Amino acid sequence: MNILNKFGWFMVPTLMFSLVELVGEKYILGYKLAEIQEKTSTTDIFHAAFLYMLVAILMDFILYEHTENYLYTFYRESFFDRNWFLLILPAYSFRIFKGNPLIYIVAAIALILINEPFRRWRMRKRAVAAEKAKNLLDHPYYDATKVELKHYTKNFFIRSWFMFVIPWGLILITDPGRRGAFYNPMLLAFGFFEVFCKSKARKEIKALLGEDNFIDFTEDS
């Protein structure tokens, strides 16, 4: 669940838009894949999404070491949180390079076996640091999973349901260039929405813990 609260604004609309393109390509006569116009070339949506997903993976590795723990402890870290990119990338790779799916499945499993021990080690180390920080507060029994916030919906699916719906509206646009032109602005809009949501969450958590007791859990995490 944590990965959705960190990168859901990017992952969900990208995956939904990609699904829209697959449905359109298969069931609508004359439907062409959305085109993303760049400075010197034009690429279809799956190549662009693949590159964007690589950027998201890099950001995930960076933010994994410097995450705002007090915002993302609403849910326990899951197997999907630790390995989401290893589960998604093979699908994009297969769609782009049209290779043998068995190769990508074997590669994904091998990478998961390498990634899991490292992520679990980091998770234990970060949990110790978070526990020390929590004990310094006047709220030693503070449990973020049980806190109810007035102005912030912690559940990603409730907070961001429209990310699953809006991309489907693009299937009505037949021109691939116009459809692709909506992709980047759509991601920016969803990204700004999540920034707005997280700013409200930060204010509420600060008010809950008290300004004097507020600790940035990113330190020594």
Side-chain angles (χ1 to χ4, degrees):
M1 265 327 246
N2 287 337
I3 195 65
L4 286 178
N5 282 293
K6 284 190 283 186
F7 289 103
W9 64 271
F10 169 79
M11 292 168 53
V12 171
T14 297
L15 291 173
M16 295 307 295
F17 191 27
S18 300
L19 183 59
V20 168
E21 293 300 288
L22 289 175
V23 170
E25 184 184 32
K26 184 173 181 62
Y27 295 107
I28 299 178
L29 184 63
Y31 193 91
K32 295 182 179 180
L33 294 178
E35 297 176 346
I36 306 296
Q37 183 66 46
E38 300 176 354
K39 290 183 179 180
T40 58
S41 63
T42 300
T43 183
D44 68 48
I45 182 62
F46 289 101
H47 284 82
F50 184 77
L51 295 176
Y52 288 160
M53 199 68 73
L54 290 178
V55 174
I57 291 169
L58 179 61
M59 291 175 61
D60 183 33
F61 274 115
I62 294 174
L63 295 179
Y64 190 84
E65 300 296 324
H66 303 284
T67 188
E68 296 174 314
N69 291 327
Y70 56 87
L71 286 181
Y72 304 121
T73 53
F74 295 126
Y75 304 98
R76 288 185 175 90
E77 188 178 68
S78 67
F79 175 85
F80 182 74
D81 290 320
R82 295 188 294 273
N83 299 288
W84 66 272
F85 53 93
L86 299 177
L87 300 175
I88 292 176
L89 274 181
Y92 276 106
S93 300
F94 177 70
R95 182 61 179 77
I96 293 173
F97 302 115
K98 302 184 186 300
N100 186 331
L102 183 60
I103 296 176
Y104 296 110
I105 292 174
V106 171
I109 293 176
L111 289 173
I112 287 174
L113 292 176
I114 296 173
N115 187 59
E116 264 293 290
F118 167 72
R119 290 278 180 143
R120 284 180 175 275
W121 172 76
R122 279 296 302 152
M123 183 174 61
R124 288 194 295 270
K125 183 178 179 181
R126 194 167 60 189
V128 171
E131 186 66 24
K132 290 180 180 179
K134 185 176 69 173
N135 291 334
L136 294 175
L137 301 173
D138 289 338
H139 303 269
Y141 303 106
Y142 168 72
D143 184 351
T145 63
K146 298 179 180 179
V147 172
E148 293 185 6
L149 302 178
K150 294 180 180 179
H151 307 292
Y152 177 74
T153 302
K154 294 182 289 186
N155 189 302
F156 174 84
F157 298 102
I158 296 176
R159 183 177 75 241
S160 307
W161 59 269
F162 50 87
M163 295 186 190
F164 294 83
V165 177
I166 291 178
W168 285 97
L170 298 177
I171 203 170
L172 300 176
I173 302 175
T174 57
D175 182 79
R178 291 183 180 180
R179 201 166 60 254
F182 278 98
Y183 177 64
N184 287 330
M186 181 180 67
L187 290 183
L188 286 175
F190 291 150
F192 282 125
F193 175 76
E194 279 297 282
V195 170
F196 175 71
C197 285
K198 289 171 185 176
S199 67
K200 291 196 297 185
R202 175 186 283 267
K203 289 179 181 178
E204 289 202 53
I205 294 173
K206 274 191 174 184
L208 175 70
L209 299 181
E211 291 288 342
D212 295 335
N213 296 322
F214 185 74
I215 294 177
D216 189 343
F217 283 33
T218 59
E219 296 180 3
D220 298 326
S221 62

